Amino acid sequence: MSPSFPPEQRDLVDLRSDTVTRPTDEMFEAMRNAPLGDDVLGDDPTVLRLEEMAAQMLGKECALFVPSGTMGNQIALACHCQPGDAILIEEEAHILYYEVGAPALIAGVVSWTLPSNRGAMDPEVVDRHVLRANLHTPGTTLLCVENTHNRAGGAIIPLDTLAAYREIGDRRGIKVHLDGARVFNASVALGVPISEIAKHFDSVNFCLSKGLRSPVGSLLCGKAEFIDKARVWRKRLGGGMRQAGILAACGIVSLNSNVDRLADDHRRAKEIAQAVCELPGMSVKLEEVETNMVMVDTEAPAPEIQGKLAEKGVLCLPTGPNRLRLVLHADIDDAKTEKAIEAFRAVAA
Ligand SMILES: *Cc1c(COP(=O)(O)O)cnc(C)c1O
């Protein structure tokens, strides 16, 4: 286990999020050896290499290293939209639920929310809500999509739905942005190259700091002209980082060595789901466990079960009054998966 685990945390089974992973030995080695520059001045070779790698993998012209997924998303909104524009967005999207009102504050847009089937908005409903700017209505300039969908429990948005969004974007003249914090989970679960998902979008943001195990960072990808604007917004928001190559070095290790292993997280999520759904007072919709998350519906209040699990060294977070979210990641091996299952059995008994 990485020395960056404090001793008192080593035995914990931390299923609160896939953001809790510690850097690997390979990452510490890469950080030590990374050639560095000043990325705000544009000459950090390690950042440039990471950005090139990301753009190439996604099939985009350029990429920009940003400190967080939140910043990447908000920069995308600010670049695609003018203040007063409308964006179309799923009603439980991270951009709305967990980014503290930033779309109203930074891009200054009206967020037009649409219902969904587990994160997937009906393309016909999307099409119907594209507004033309006139004396009365705001003009819709952007459609935002989240894949995999966080509050829908890591649900994958089907590829044909993504293609339908692209068709609407082209026909109605609006841009389409992907909040792809966990888009690599979708790619691995579907067995398709990441570029097959990214090709439907004008911009894609993905996180290095979730299942891909980096300590910090996201990449915003798109056309060169878009990334030029994004670089200005990153500076404006205080996201310019100097020897950022020390972080980008981990990102390179993420992309080289930590993509395929997401399949292990998906397998372990299914194992936990299978065991927990057999317990009294708890249920899991097995067919909805598509990637690295398990949503457990509890008869007892979720915080009560959360507390009992914590006493047994298993941490998770409630996402509703009777719902717990478990997130699998690289620091949860088979032994810890088994420990989580044992804790659930003990709590349910
Ligand atoms: C985590 C997450 C983000 C934001 O990432 P941060 O790096 O935590 O700011 C954006 N979208 C989704 C769907 C996420 O799960």
Side-chain angles (χ1 to χ4, degrees):
M1 177 170 286
S2 160
S4 52
F5 273 95
E8 68 279 11
Q9 290 187 22
R10 289 191 183 167
D11 294 329
L12 283 179
V13 181
D14 192 345
L15 303 174
R16 288 172 304 167
S17 176
D18 45 9
T19 54
V20 301
T21 54
R22 304 304 199 275
T24 62
D25 291 341
E26 192 185 354
M27 286 175 180
F28 281 110
E29 198 57 27
M31 280 191 252
R32 174 171 291 285
N33 296 322
L36 304 174
D38 185 322
D39 184 50
V40 178
L41 300 180
D43 62 11
D44 186 298
T46 308
V47 172
L48 294 173
R49 206 175 125 219
L50 171 64
E51 290 175 344
E52 238 169 71
M53 261 180 91
Q56 197 179 358
M57 282 175 91
L58 271 74
K60 299 295 180 200
E61 286 176 11
C62 289
L64 183 71
F65 186 49
V66 293
S68 69
T70 299
M71 190 184 285
N73 282 330
Q74 297 304 326
I75 289 174
L77 266 54
C79 289
H80 289 309
C81 305
Q82 295 296 319
D85 285 353
I87 66 169
L88 291 174
I89 186 161
E90 195 275 332
E91 61 194 3
E92 296 220 347
H94 190 284
I95 287 175
L96 292 183
Y97 225 98
Y98 298 120
E99 300 187 13
V100 219
L105 195 64
I106 299 172
V109 293
V110 176
S111 293
W112 213 281
T113 63
L114 299 178
S116 72
N117 174 16
R118 301 188 61 237
M121 298 167 281
D122 180 342
E124 272 181 35
V125 175
V126 171
D127 199 14
R128 237 187 294 133
H129 286 84
V130 176
L131 300 176
R132 287 269 157 259
N134 62 30
L135 179 59
H136 310 285
T137 61
T140 306
T141 45
L142 182 67
L143 167 64
C144 291
V145 180
E146 186 172 314
N147 188 23
T148 64
H149 196 287
N150 186 340
R151 285 190 58 85
I156 299 169
I157 312 299
L159 290 173
D160 56 351
T161 305
L162 302 185
Y165 296 151
R166 179 70 270 160
E167 188 276 327
I168 292 168
D170 291 341
R171 179 164 45 78
R172 307 296 301 269
I174 65 173
K175 298 282 199 275
V176 191
H177 171 69
L178 177 62
D179 175 359
R182 297 189 181 83
V183 67
F184 278 91
N185 292 84
S187 155
V188 167
L190 291 174
V192 301
I194 194 79
S195 55
E196 278 302 295
I197 298 175
K199 72 177 183 186
H200 299 296
F201 296 92
D202 297 285
S203 54
V204 178
N205 189 85
F206 73 86
C207 291
L208 295 165
S209 56
K210 295 197 169 158
L212 301 182
R213 289 174 109 169
S214 279
V216 176
S218 280
L219 283 146
L220 179 60
C221 310
K223 285 214 160 70
E225 199 185 336
F226 167 82
I227 294 298
D228 286 345
K229 280 169 82 175
R231 196 177 298 282
V232 174
W233 268 102
R234 184 183 70 174
K235 184 68 165 59
R236 184 173 282 146
L237 296 175
M241 301 182 288
R242 301 296 179 170
Q243 281 73 58
I246 202 146
L247 298 174
C250 295
I252 291 169
V253 176
S254 282
L255 294 178
N256 278 334
S257 314
N258 289 284
V259 173
D260 294 342
R261 59 147 307 281
L262 292 171
D264 294 331
D265 300 341
H266 302 168
R267 170 178 59 77
R268 293 182 181 121
K270 287 197 172 74
E271 285 171 15
I272 292 184
Q274 185 66 55
V276 170
C277 80
E278 289 167 6
L279 300 175
M282 302 196 189
S283 63
V284 178
K285 295 196 180 85
L286 291 181
E287 70 284 4
E288 295 188 359
V289 180
E290 298 180 67
T291 56
N292 66 329
M293 292 188 197
V294 183
M295 296 302 214
V296 181
D297 293 315
T298 58
E299 267 169 34
E304 191 182 309
I305 306 285
Q306 177 198 17
K308 288 183 180 168
L309 288 166
E311 282 168 21
K312 304 203 172 303
V314 175
L315 307 183
C316 59
L317 292 174
T319 61
N322 295 84
R323 179 166 264 212
L324 290 173
R325 186 187 77 163
L326 317 180
V327 189
L328 278 293
H329 53 78
D331 291 344
I332 303 296
D333 57 10
D334 286 330
K336 285 199 169 185
T337 302
E338 195 48 47
K339 192 176 163 191
I341 291 172
E342 288 309 323
F344 267 96
R345 285 190 180 133
V347 165

